[in-house]
């Protein structure tokens, strides 16, 4: 929880930049000072020649190079448009776009302050942006609630996927054949520990999210826990289905990872489902984590009531019933 909470972030913090300043005026110094003082950037070098840019970008010494031309201050003083060049390392496109947005924000603030100091007319139209539900755009508020579903998925699936496989590998599963238990009773006995583990784990992660990472909780507790119960039931059913097919723990472990990894990728945890190809979006409809992430983020950050989350509840309930039915059917075939 701590590793994911601190390491998984979309925020740019002290990204290395290099400065190539050909101007000696006060305007360029003020602009460079804004970049150097921003929390998102840290200056790692100064460049004197155009050919030195590649020496910082190619070996990843700097994420971007700020190039201020020699006519920058003169153009501003003469009330002419002044240009600034940003050379960005685009090998990681997501990081490059985030860095570009930070740089554009700094430049826009510089333009507004310069216009006020020089008594220049401000633009006729200005875009004022308000972020609902996350006013400071803190990525941790988005990531940490998703970790509730991610870690619960991993633990409950692994625990249940290995339960029956371990008994079958050790030979103790055959002892169930001489007990008076029915396949349904055996299935319930195998499912309940996984459900309890999932509920306890998700509760602990929620407490960490609220009281350690200070993620707001503005919705109804019952609406969230209904989603947790349905989600845990669906993952436990999937784990039991995998376990009933596996003859050894190794097969159960591999089967669990074959389910877990695509589930995380296709859940919308880090990348929006709407940006995926239509075929992949169709596959996500079979993924219980997809629905649970909507529930946990909607309840915690938006305070959406249970009545508006019904379209997320019933798919998880359907997945849980289907997987538990298939697991019971496979148990019956194994027992008889």
């Amino acid at each position: 929880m701590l590793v994911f909470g601190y390491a998984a972030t979309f925020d740019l913090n002290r990204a290395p930049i290099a400065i190539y300043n050909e101007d000696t005026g006060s305007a360029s110094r003020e602009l460079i000072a804004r970049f150097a003082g921003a929390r998102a950037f840290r200056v790692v070098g100064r460049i004197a020649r155009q050919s030195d840019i590649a020496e910082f970008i190619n070996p990843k010494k700097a994420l971007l190079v700020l190039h201020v031309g020699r006519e920058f201050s003169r153009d501003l003083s003469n009330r002419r448009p002044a240009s600034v060049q940003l050379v960005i390392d685009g090998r990681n496109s997501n990081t490059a776009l985030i860095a570009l947005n930070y740089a554009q924000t700094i430049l826009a603030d510089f333009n507004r302050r310069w216009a006020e100091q020089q008594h220049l007319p401000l633009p006729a139209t200005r875009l004022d942006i308000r972020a609902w539900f996350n006013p400071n755009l803190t990525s941790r508020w988005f990531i940490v609630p998703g970790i509730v579903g991610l870690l619960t998925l991993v633990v409950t699936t692994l625990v249940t996927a290995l339960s029956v496989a371990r008994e079958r590998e050790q030979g103790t599963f055959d002892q169930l054949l001489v007990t008076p238990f029915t396949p349904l009773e055996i299935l319930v006995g195998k499912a309940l520990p996984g459900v309890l583990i999932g509920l306890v784990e998700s509760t602990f992660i929620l407490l960490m999210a609220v009281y350690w990472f200070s993620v707001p909780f503005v919705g109804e507790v019952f609406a969230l826990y209904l989603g947790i119960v349905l989600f845990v039931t669906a993952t436990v059913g999937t784990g039991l289905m995998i376990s009933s097919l596996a003859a050894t723990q190794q097969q159960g472990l591999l089967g669990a990872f074959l389910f877990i990894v695509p589930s995380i990728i296709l859940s919308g945890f880090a990348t929006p489902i709407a940006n995926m190809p239509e075929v992949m979006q169709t596959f996500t409809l079979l993924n219980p984590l997809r629905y649970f992430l909507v529930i946990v983020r909607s309840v915690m950050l938006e305070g959406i009531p249970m009545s508006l989350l019904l379209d997320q509840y019933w798919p998880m309930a359907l997945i849980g019933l289907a997987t538990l039915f298939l697991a019971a059917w496979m148990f019956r075939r194994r027992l008889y």
Side-chain angles (χ1 to χ4, degrees):
M1 178 63 188
L2 293 175
V3 170
F4 273 99
Y6 285 110
T9 175
F10 294 139
D11 298 330
L12 203 63
N13 189 24
R14 296 184 58 79
I17 66 172
I19 305 297
Y20 179 26
N21 184 19
E22 295 183 293
D23 184 68
T24 57
S26 60
S28 64
R29 291 195 296 271
E30 181 181 349
L31 177 62
I32 292 172
R34 287 179 177 272
F35 275 86
R39 186 181 64 178
F41 300 119
R42 61 182 174 92
V43 179
V44 296
R46 302 276 178 165
I47 293 176
R49 298 184 303 274
Q50 181 82 20
S51 58
D52 293 339
I53 294 178
E55 296 181 5
F56 280 87
I57 296 294
N58 290 351
K60 296 186 177 182
K61 292 181 180 178
L63 176 62
L64 65 85
V65 173
L66 175 67
H67 179 199
V68 182
R70 59 173 54 92
E71 303 296 330
F72 179 78
S73 295
R74 180 182 301 176
D75 289 339
L76 287 178
S77 300
N78 295 330
R79 301 191 175 187
R80 294 197 303 264
S83 63
V84 176
Q85 184 182 32
L86 286 176
V87 182
I88 304 179
D89 184 354
R91 281 169 286 198
N92 187 329
S93 59
N94 185 52
T95 303
L97 288 174
I98 295 175
L100 179 61
N101 289 333
Y102 275 102
Q104 289 175 336
T105 301
I106 295 173
L107 189 59
D109 185 64
F110 170 82
N111 288 335
R112 185 176 66 254
R113 293 293 297 275
W114 179 267
E116 292 174 352
Q117 292 173 1
Q118 303 298 320
H119 305 288
L120 298 175
L122 295 174
T125 303
R126 184 180 63 188
L127 182 64
D128 289 331
I129 301 175
R130 292 188 303 157
W132 282 9
F133 313 123
N134 189 356
N136 295 322
L137 295 179
T138 305
S139 66
R140 189 170 293 162
W141 287 19
F142 177 79
I143 292 292
V144 172
I147 296 175
V148 179
L150 189 149
L151 294 182
T152 303
L153 169 75
V154 172
V155 172
T156 54
T157 303
L158 285 175
V159 167
T160 51
L162 296 177
S163 61
V164 178
R166 180 176 181 273
E167 289 200 51
R168 185 177 292 120
E169 191 175 24
Q170 293 183 341
T172 57
F173 186 76
D174 295 335
Q175 298 176 10
L176 294 176
L177 297 175
V178 298
T179 62
F181 296 122
T182 65
L184 180 60
E185 291 171 338
I186 296 174
L187 177 69
V188 171
K190 294 296 182 183
L192 281 179
V195 172
L196 292 176
I197 289 172
L199 291 175
V200 171
E201 182 189 10
S202 58
T203 300
F204 174 77
I205 299 173
L206 282 172
L207 292 175
M208 287 284 292
V210 174
Y211 293 106
W212 183 273
F213 292 103
S214 301
V215 179
F217 193 113
V218 298
E220 303 173 357
V221 175
F222 181 76
L224 178 57
Y225 268 86
L226 177 59
I228 291 176
V229 170
L230 294 175
F231 173 66
V232 169
T233 302
T235 55
V236 166
T238 304
L240 288 175
M241 190 171 61
I242 295 171
S243 187
S244 63
L245 290 172
T248 63
Q249 290 187 80
Q250 186 178 23
Q251 291 179 4
L253 184 64
L254 291 175
F257 273 98
L258 282 175
F259 169 74
I260 291 172
V261 175
S263 294
I264 295 174
I265 295 174
L266 299 176
S267 65
F269 173 76
T271 56
I273 294 176
N275 292 351
M276 300 178 186
E278 292 186 4
V279 175
M280 304 307 296
Q281 291 186 39
T282 303
F283 282 132
T284 64
L285 298 177
L286 301 175
N287 183 8
L289 184 58
R290 167 203 169 130
Y291 306 103
F292 181 70
L293 290 184
V294 175
I295 293 173
V296 67
R297 287 168 176 164
S298 298
V299 172
M300 291 187 67
L301 301 180
E302 304 174 40
I304 291 181
M306 186 173 60
S307 59
L308 298 180
L309 294 172
L310 294 178
D311 58 338
Q312 307 297 324
Y313 290 136
W314 73 260
M316 286 195 299
L318 186 62
I319 293 172
L321 289 175
T323 53
L324 288 174
F325 173 80
L326 289 174
W329 179 74
M330 294 175 184
F331 269 118
R332 185 181 298 274
R333 292 193 61 189
R334 290 283 185 175
L335 289 175
Y336 297 111

